[in-house]
Amino acid sequence: MNLAAMDPQTYDAQLQQKRIKLEQAFAQFEPPEIEVFASEPAHYRMRAEFRVWHEGDDLYYYMFDKVLNAKVRCEQYLPASELINKMMLALMAELRPNPTLRHKLFQVDFLSTLSGEILVSLLYHRQLDDDWRAQANALKQRLSAEFKVNLIGRARKQKIDLDKDFVVESLEVNDKTFLYKQIENSFTQPNAKVSVKMLEWALDVTQDSRGDLLELYCGNGNFSIALAQNFERVLATELAKPSVDAAQYNIEVNGIENLQIIRMSAEDFSDAMAKKRSFRRLDGIDLDSYVCNTIFVDPPRAGIDPDTLALVQGYERILYISCNPTTLRNNLEVLSATHRVVRFALFDQFPYTEHMESGVLLERHPC
């Protein structure tokens, strides 16, 4: 982390450099003009993690600055949401004088929401006992006077939830409100306001869709729940059980009736679609009944594996969200043999870093 680079006055210039870099990296595919979606220049991250340093009676958060090659004390943190910054101060004021809660505490994780909920995880190099639970419950009661807060204690092979291990985010997407269960220690989009822009962009590029949608790597249903309105039916896959459980919750709470989640990896699903293997998890699901002209992929940083890439090429339209321009470019070198890029977007999820989130819509070449 380069803390000195986090200057809101330089944000526009940094974003312009990202746009230029992305244009140059993908020029070979002759994309249309890149659509750029900016972040707020400060207080944009909904989650943050801090190490904790013990120095006599003092106790404080710190981060490691790669440029300085040193740890830096963090009373406040510009990228983190205003809610996290308020909680940082209130929590540390409680922890410093409390020998039970501070003993062998080495990290604090925050997960906040636009809806006002915040989850705080305290990580320890010791086992947590009844005394810790009692002190943590008292802390939660005091913090609850100001915050909608949940507390979790973690140690080796131990997790204590004082109430629940998730928050419920509320996102205003165009003229609709979507609720999302976000579980501690599971992936969620870190920049909620840019996430809204990503959802609105995905809805825009699929607004004239026909038939059904297949989504791979669906996570907690973030995209599939919003996109369901543009398709007859949506079939989505995700391997991580906590994410699938959250997706099922999100489907119910949002009243989505045309979306089905299957707990499978993209690789296994590719084998099932190619009739290479049969899977018990697909019992009762007629894959052949789906008429999917569009496939949506939001893969991990490693990109799409060759078998899944072959599956993806079989669809008329491909909507690809990428967190890694390098693997996106590698995948596009294969996909460009059958498809052309018709929409291209840059979503600045992580200001002041080299990280670039991209959105690409591809359509099959005319015969």
Side-chain angles (χ1 to χ4, degrees), residues 51 55 75 107 116 143 163 165 192 242 253 293:
R51 288 288 180 147
E55 196 169 284
E75 302 292 346
Q107 183 169 315
L143 291 175
D163 184 9
D165 66 348
V253 75
N293 300 307

Side-chain angles (χ1 to χ4, degrees), residues 41-84:
H43 305 310
Y44 49 85
R45 282 191 63 93
M46 294 294 105
R47 62 176 193 257
E49 302 174 358
F50 300 93
R51 288 288 180 147
V52 175
W53 191 259
H54 299 252
E55 196 169 284
D57 291 336
D58 198 7
L59 188 76
Y60 58 85
Y61 311 105
Y62 75 92
M63 301 190 77
F64 190 81
D65 191 309
K66 293 181 180 178
V67 175
L68 299 175
N69 195 31
K71 71 178 190 298
V72 177
R73 182 170 182 147
C74 293
E75 302 292 346
Q76 296 280 263
Y77 187 52
L78 181 140
S81 68
E82 292 183 355
L83 182 54
I84 288 177

Side-chain angles (χ1 to χ4, degrees), residues 33 210 233:
E33 182 178 353
R210 296 176 290 105
R233 293 186 297 171

Side-chain angles (χ1 to χ4, degrees), residues 271-304:
D271 285 350
M273 290 294 289
K275 313 295 185 185
K276 292 181 180 179
R277 290 189 287 163
S278 59
F279 295 87
R280 186 174 301 172
R281 290 178 181 175
L282 293 175
D283 288 350
I285 299 176
D286 183 5
L287 295 180
D288 293 333
S289 72
Y290 283 85
V291 182
C292 298
N293 300 307
T294 304
I295 186 168
F296 176 78
V297 289
D298 185 3
R301 289 190 61 80
I304 304 174

Side-chain angles (χ1 to χ4, degrees), residues 2-233:
N2 181 2
L3 298 177
M6 297 177 185
D7 180 0
Q9 293 185 1
T10 68
Y11 174 69
D12 289 342
Q14 290 186 39
L15 181 57
Q16 174 72 353
Q17 287 302 310
K18 285 186 179 182
R19 182 189 65 77
I20 294 171
K21 186 176 181 179
L22 202 63
E23 283 181 344
Q24 293 173 344
F26 289 86
Q28 70 188 87
F29 305 109
E30 300 180 347
E33 182 178 353
I34 294 180
E35 304 163 63
V36 179
F37 296 90
S39 171
E40 296 288 339
H43 305 310
Y44 49 85
R45 282 191 63 93
M46 294 294 105
R47 62 176 193 257
E49 302 174 358
F50 300 93
R51 288 288 180 147
V52 175
W53 191 259
H54 299 252
E55 196 169 284
D57 291 336
D58 198 7
L59 188 76
Y60 58 85
Y61 311 105
Y62 75 92
M63 301 190 77
F64 190 81
D65 191 309
K66 293 181 180 178
V67 175
L68 299 175
N69 195 31
K71 71 178 190 298
V72 177
R73 182 170 182 147
C74 293
E75 302 292 346
Q76 296 280 263
Y77 187 52
L78 181 140
S81 68
E82 292 183 355
L83 182 54
I84 288 177
N85 276 279
K86 290 178 182 177
M87 178 58 78
M88 288 174 70
L89 294 174
L91 179 67
M92 191 54 71
E94 291 279 355
L95 293 175
R96 284 193 184 104
N98 192 309
T100 298
L101 293 179
R102 67 178 284 169
H103 181 51
K104 294 193 175 182
L105 174 70
F106 72 91
Q107 183 169 315
V108 180
D109 298 348
F110 299 95
L111 174 60
S112 66
T113 64
L114 295 177
S115 60
E117 286 190 55
I118 186 166
L119 181 63
V120 179
S121 299
L122 305 174
L123 284 64
Y124 292 86
H125 284 312
R126 69 177 177 94
Q127 291 298 288
L128 305 179
D129 54 19
D130 290 341
D131 186 27
W132 181 90
R133 185 188 288 271
Q135 292 290 332
N137 271 312
L139 170 62
K140 182 180 184 300
Q141 289 300 112
R142 292 192 296 272
L143 291 175
S144 294
E146 183 179 356
F147 301 96
K148 292 191 289 184
V149 59
N150 296 308
L151 283 181
I152 291 176
R154 280 191 174 274
R156 182 176 173 81
K157 296 182 179 180
Q158 186 180 27
K159 175 184 174 185
I160 298 177
D161 304 331
L162 297 188
D163 184 9
K164 57 184 182 181
D165 66 348
F166 65 90
V167 292
V168 177
E169 178 62 287
S170 176
L171 299 181
E172 299 292 331
V173 181
N174 294 329
D175 59 346
K176 294 186 178 181
T177 301
F178 293 101
L179 302 177
Y180 293 99
K181 180 180 184 179
Q182 299 180 342
I183 302 174
E184 184 248 7
N185 242 17
S186 294
F187 175 78
T188 56
Q189 295 287 354
N191 192 324
K193 291 185 179 180
V194 172
S195 180
V196 169
K197 294 177 181 180
M198 293 171 71
L199 292 172
E200 290 178 344
W201 181 82
L203 283 167
D204 180 53
V205 303
T206 60
Q207 63 180 329
D208 59 346
S209 299
R210 296 176 290 105
D212 305 321
L213 172 69
L214 172 63
E215 179 181 357
L216 308 181
Y217 321 96
C218 77
N220 70 349
N222 181 57
F223 279 96
S224 46
I225 284 169
L227 287 172
Q229 63 189 283
N230 281 355
F231 295 88
E232 293 294 326
R233 293 186 297 171

Side-chain angles (χ1 to χ4, degrees), residues 241-254:
K241 188 176 186 302
S243 294
V244 172
D245 292 343
Q248 298 293 2
Y249 174 98
N250 295 336
I251 289 170
E252 182 176 353
V253 75
N254 287 288

